[in-house]
Amino acid sequence: MRELLTSPQVAPSILSADSSKLGSQVDEVMAAGARVIHIDVMDGHFVPPITLGPLVAGSIAEQVHAGGGAIDVHLMIEQPERHIEAFAAAGADSITFHEEATPHANRTLAAIRELGCLAGIALNPGTPAAALVELHDLADIALCMTVNPGWGGQSFIEGSPEKVSRLRPLVGGATIEVDGGIDASTAGAVAAAGASLFVAGSAVFGADDPAAAFAEVSAAVAGS
Ligand code: DX5
Ligand code: ZN
């Protein structure tokens, strides 16, 4: 996973995939070059919907790893520290939780690294970039939400590229990940601002041809 974070990557989010054929949807995007598969975990408390858990992460982990890929888990749950072990055991390569979801961000980042995963911390659109000032040494990934968490298919929040620019000098060597409303028309601006991991759900799996859509978003990133 660490190597995958050194070059720009588009990470398809399986939240928008057809769950009745999850394995073949993952195969399709990996055949098109995807190497980071993003899993959105929602608990019905931190955000209203309930989505995926360790069982689903574990069900595709072997397939993703066999193809040279990595599982990128995004926890939108309260008390994330209670669940990191289960996701690590399910095969997660990186685990990202929300700064707003726990008073124990420092301890949780360290615990994720101790489990052998890359540690990530996410910020809601309303949380200032400066919230990461005390944490950057412990974080491998800083995830800047570019929509409010909870649902796929929302519009990219304008002003997100500026927030990524503010985050860039605050997070040391951490990879900046962006999530929400990322498509071929929005990826370029956040890439130019310093993001290098681009989650795309509906832009990839909502398209008639997910492989072509993945290539299109990747080209927008590369051309920025
Ligand atoms: C939103 C999730 C996203 C979601 C993105 O709460 O964290 O990862 O899948 O979906 P799109 O790309 O459709 O905005
Ligand atoms: Zn996500």
Side-chain angles (χ1 to χ4, degrees):
M1 176 80 186
R2 198 165 288 277
E3 315 78 67
L4 292 175
L5 294 182
T6 55
S7 59
Q9 295 280 336
V10 174
S13 162
I14 60 166
L15 185 65
S16 298
D18 179 345
S19 333
S20 70
K21 45 176 186 176
L22 189 53
S24 61
Q25 294 253 280
V26 168
D27 271 344
E28 203 173 335
V29 290
M30 288 193 77
R35 289 296 176 268
V36 180
I37 302 296
H38 185 82
I39 301 190
D40 286 305
V41 180
M42 307 189 193
D43 64 353
H45 293 277
F46 182 68
V47 290
I50 297 175
T51 58
L52 315 168
L55 204 65
V56 172
S59 76
I60 59 165
E62 208 177 302
Q63 173 190 359
V64 171
H65 292 152
I71 301 273
D72 179 40
V73 169
H74 177 194
L75 300 178
M76 286 160 277
I77 65 175
E78 288 173 5
Q79 295 184 279
E81 57 277 8
R82 293 173 60 202
H83 299 278
I84 55 177
E85 211 170 322
F87 282 97
D93 297 283
S94 62
I95 303 178
T96 296
F97 63 94
H98 274 257
E99 188 273 341
E100 304 85 2
T102 174
H104 304 298
N106 181 304
R107 171 152 61 82
T108 305
L109 284 167
I112 293 171
R113 280 186 174 172
E114 257 169 51
L115 288 165
C117 300
L118 296 185
I121 184 150
L123 297 182
N124 278 341
T127 304
L132 294 190
V133 165
E134 309 299 336
L135 297 168
H136 69 84
D137 282 354
L138 288 166
D140 301 296
I141 297 171
L143 193 167
C144 180
M145 290 302 300
T146 45
V147 299
N148 283 292
W151 301 271
Q154 303 179 78
S155 301
F156 181 81
I157 294 177
E158 281 189 36
S160 297
E162 289 74 16
K163 185 169 180 185
V164 170
S165 308
R166 288 194 294 279
L167 265 175
R168 192 56 280 173
L170 300 179
V171 297
T175 288
I176 297 187
E177 181 172 15
V178 284
D179 187 358
I182 301 296
D183 60 20
S185 72
T186 57
V190 269
S196 55
L197 187 54
F198 306 83
V199 178
S202 52
V204 171
F205 289 115
D208 290 338
D209 182 347
F214 172 82
E216 216 178 296
V217 184
S218 298
V221 166
S224 66

